[in-house]
Amino acid sequence: MLKRLLTILSIVILPPAVSAYAEDAQPISQKTCTQLLADYKQLPFTSILPLDEGPIAIGGETKDITIGFSQTAFNHPWRVSMLESLQAEACRHSNVKLVVLDGNVDVAKQSNDVRDLLARGVNAVLLSPVESAALVPAARAVQSAGIPLIVMDRDVPTNKTLFIGQSNVTMAEQVTEHMAKDLGGKGNIVVITGLKGSSPAVDRDQGMKNVLAKYPDVKVLAVGDGQWIREPAVPLMEDFLTAHPDINAVFSHAEESSWGAQLAIARAKRCSDHIRHYTFDAPMPGSSRSRPAPSAPMETTRRS
């Protein structure tokens, strides 16, 4: 039953411990259970392995369950939406408590966070890693403790109870194929990657390269690390625009980076260049913390 609950919590997804009452604001999302349960009705996949609302019984016994959630960071609207979905499911079960820790995009901190969760005696760990390989020791520590480990979005190359994610290679191949055909098989592109060393960034880069091997006339002019967020993409794109007067498309690993690139293009008064944008995920131009999490990263195509 616990593994089933963890799977459901993870599916509806891709600070100190707080045991909040229904009308207390939950940590980070600052939403009450009433608000979160209203959002729950809009979430995808709630019919998969559903649990009835109410206390969870394991082996016929109802007892408190504490689940630790170690998130990469809460600097991206999608990751906040992941938390809101998790909180919404937890609000449905009165004996389920969450301990939520923010990794702040710092692999050393997140590694320590996982060990902190173990020290607090959680019954299971949900982990969305900053980087894949660097979190292996922390993941092994969870497994050694004999409690379930659910890894989400970015895989960790070691044993785990369950991994929930998508094929970033396949998605990148599809986006790149679309881009290459739009460009007529030739043109100049710049690439804004996700966080260097993270498994989605590695896989999306590989998927792009797999397809571009068939299109030798599509040239990659420059590559920069956008860290999955908007702010680093702005100066990157400004540098790209200064160095390269003829850019036909931007391939961004995250739509947040794409919005940053478009801002830089607008500031440079280069919108008339009609630079195309090819990317993943689906946040809005402004803050989208109140939006339910998308069912999966989505291919989007944009123009400046």
Side-chain angles (χ1 to χ4, degrees):
M1 180 64 75
L2 178 56
K3 182 176 179 181
R4 185 179 173 198
L5 171 64
L6 290 169
T7 303
I8 292 168
L9 287 168
S10 304
I11 287 175
V12 298
I13 290 176
L14 326 140
V18 175
S19 179
Y21 295 99
E23 294 310 314
D24 287 345
Q26 299 284 333
I28 300 171
S29 72
Q30 293 302 302
K31 289 189 174 184
T32 66
C33 274
T34 298
Q35 293 171 311
L36 290 162
L37 290 173
D39 291 344
Y40 179 86
K41 298 176 182 179
Q42 307 301 318
L43 292 174
F45 307 134
T46 54
S47 62
I48 298 176
L49 300 175
L51 285 175
D52 292 335
E53 190 168 347
I56 299 296
I58 299 176
E61 181 183 358
T62 300
K63 57 183 180 180
D64 290 342
I65 300 170
T66 301
I67 298 173
F69 178 36
S70 174
Q71 176 62 290
T72 296
F74 292 103
N75 60 348
H76 191 289
W78 180 61
R79 295 200 172 276
V80 176
S81 291
M82 289 173 67
L83 174 64
E84 290 174 355
S85 302
L86 175 63
Q87 290 173 333
E89 182 64 48
C91 283
R92 300 180 70 244
H93 311 290
S94 58
N95 62 326
V96 175
K97 183 177 74 172
L98 303 177
V99 179
V100 181
L101 298 178
D102 184 346
N104 289 329
V105 200
D106 183 334
V107 69
K109 181 182 185 304
Q110 188 172 38
S111 182
N112 289 333
D113 284 350
V114 172
R115 287 172 169 78
D116 182 27
L117 292 174
L118 295 177
R120 296 184 190 212
V122 299
N123 301 109
V125 172
L126 303 179
L127 172 64
S128 187
V130 174
E131 296 178 11
S132 300
L135 267 298
V136 167
R140 288 177 177 168
V142 178
Q143 292 284 276
S144 296
I147 64 175
L149 171 66
I150 310 299
V151 180
M152 300 171 293
D153 181 40
R154 304 172 186 176
D155 201 2
V156 175
T158 189
N159 291 335
K160 79 263 326 166
T161 308
L162 181 68
F163 169 67
I164 298 176
Q166 62 285 316
S167 173
N168 285 287
V169 173
T170 301
M171 288 196 303
E173 288 174 342
Q174 294 173 349
V175 173
T176 308
E177 189 71 44
H178 191 62
M179 176 182 68
K181 289 180 178 178
D182 281 353
L183 294 175
K186 61 181 179 180
N188 298 321
I189 72 169
V190 293
V191 179
I192 302 176
T193 71
L195 182 67
K196 184 178 180 181
S198 63
S199 61
V202 172
D203 289 349
R204 291 179 188 186
D205 182 63
Q206 186 59 56
M208 180 194 73
K209 290 177 178 176
N210 291 347
V211 172
L212 290 185
K214 303 186 299 181
Y215 296 94
D217 291 330
V218 176
K219 307 295 185 182
V220 177
L221 300 179
V223 179
D225 184 355
Q227 304 173 40
W228 302 114
I229 54 179
R230 193 172 310 194
E231 289 76 10
V234 177
L236 276 176
M237 193 65 204
E238 289 172 343
D239 290 344
F240 294 163
L241 292 167
T242 300
H244 305 287
D246 185 16
I247 298 173
N248 303 114
V250 181
F251 185 92
S252 302
H253 285 191
E255 191 172 2
E256 281 289 296
S257 298
S258 181
W259 289 120
Q262 291 178 62
L263 175 59
I265 290 169
R267 286 177 176 175
K269 303 187 184 303
R270 295 274 294 272
C271 290
S272 60
D273 290 4
H274 300 299
I275 298 172
R276 295 174 178 265
H277 295 262
Y278 298 85
T279 189
F280 308 78
D281 312 325
M284 300 297 287
S287 174
S288 57
R289 289 191 172 190
S290 62
R291 299 170 64 245
S295 58
M298 295 186 291
E299 171 192 339
T300 61
T301 306
R302 300 191 181 278
R303 276 183 178 271
S304 291

